Amino acid sequence: MSETPSAGTGVHEYFAVQAEALQRLREPVMRREPDAVHRMRVATRRLRSLLSTYSGLYAEVPLRRRRLRWLATELGNVRDLEVLRIRFAKRLGDERPDWFAALEEQERLAYGPLIQACSRERTANLLAAARDMAEAPAFSEAAERPADAVLAPIVEAARRDLAVSVAAIATSPHPDEARHQARNIAKRTRYTAEAATALGEPAETVAAEAKRLQNLLGRCQDDVVAIRYLETHAPDSPVLEREHRAHAKHLAKAQAALADTEVR
């Protein structure tokens, strides 16, 4: 009979992978390499989620969530512009109107503060704390307990939170905000379940469904952000009408899918 995995199994391995990503991606971000900002931002979000959800597995937590939030914000200032630039470039083809050139310049300038942030001692200390915690973790007694007893209730609570947030969309007076909130909860649920590898298929199922909802709601949110940007910076652009059509299509698909969602 195989031994029941401990609660710390998998969770810390997941943590260590994200901590390593922070170390590895710092220089590529400073060199402005494609997709580096996105990947580093995701790593910070996953670490924040793990520290929030699974801090009870550690007797000591030298890595602070507020510092990760600060770094994620710095990365987001560039990433949000990057997403718009890539999206609009596809819509425009070879055309490059003045408003698009201004967006490109805005993204270029945003890298300045980000590179400064990555060069600061504050970031070096953050990365060192993540590395030290990954390499020499101080586990609590909970980490040695069976995974089913410790992790399963956490994953189930995350799944329920997601179900509640999805159900709230239908009756919300501000559905765009409700979808955005549900998307964020889907991300946290996904990271929570992905880290609980010791639970096997049950956690994998929750992670897969959370990812599906994250992507579904994410398309709607990306539409909203793009529309708001164009309404402010390029209200006469034909791209705006294309974005409205895309949003209507994605919204209809999301509403149909959410009506049949497996999250209960």
Side-chain angles (χ1 to χ4, degrees), residues 38 41-42 45 49 79-80 83-84 87 158 161-169 174-192 206-207 209-226 228 247 254 258 263:
H38 171 56
R41 189 189 191 192
V42 169
R45 286 176 165 175
S49 178
R79 175 58 182 170
D80 292 345
V83 169
L84 287 172
R87 181 187 185 102
D161 286 346
L162 178 55
V164 169
S165 70
V166 168
I169 296 173
H174 306 289
D176 286 340
E177 295 179 11
R179 279 187 288 270
H180 182 47
Q181 176 70 9
R183 179 199 186 188
N184 288 336
I185 293 175
K187 288 180 184 178
R188 292 198 296 270
T189 301
R190 175 186 172 185
Y191 302 155
T192 296
V206 173
E209 180 64 3
K211 181 179 179 180
R212 183 184 75 88
L213 292 171
Q214 174 190 336
N215 292 336
L216 192 71
L217 297 168
R219 283 190 288 270
C220 294
Q221 177 63 16
D222 289 347
D223 294 340
V224 169
V225 173
R228 288 174 180 170
H247 184 46
L258 291 179
V263 177

Side-chain angles (χ1 to χ4, degrees), residues 52-121:
S52 174
T53 305
Y54 294 118
S55 61
L57 298 178
Y58 298 92
E60 298 178 9
V61 183
L63 182 60
R64 301 298 181 219
R65 291 182 66 238
R66 67 177 183 276
R67 294 192 175 186
L68 288 166
R69 182 171 60 248
W70 165 76
L71 181 58
T73 298
E74 295 291 334
L75 292 161
N77 291 336
V78 171
R79 175 58 182 170
D80 292 345
L81 295 169
E82 180 183 55
V83 169
L84 287 172
R85 189 252 307 161
I86 293 172
R87 181 187 185 102
F88 294 147
K90 291 179 180 178
R91 296 276 195 254
L92 291 165
D94 295 331
E95 183 185 1
R96 291 295 182 267
D98 291 344
W99 64 264
F100 182 81
L103 172 61
E104 288 182 306
E105 178 66 5
Q106 190 179 2
E107 180 189 353
R108 186 187 70 80
L109 293 174
Y111 262 101
L114 175 58
I115 291 172
Q116 288 181 353
C118 287
S119 303
R120 290 178 59 182
E121 183 179 0

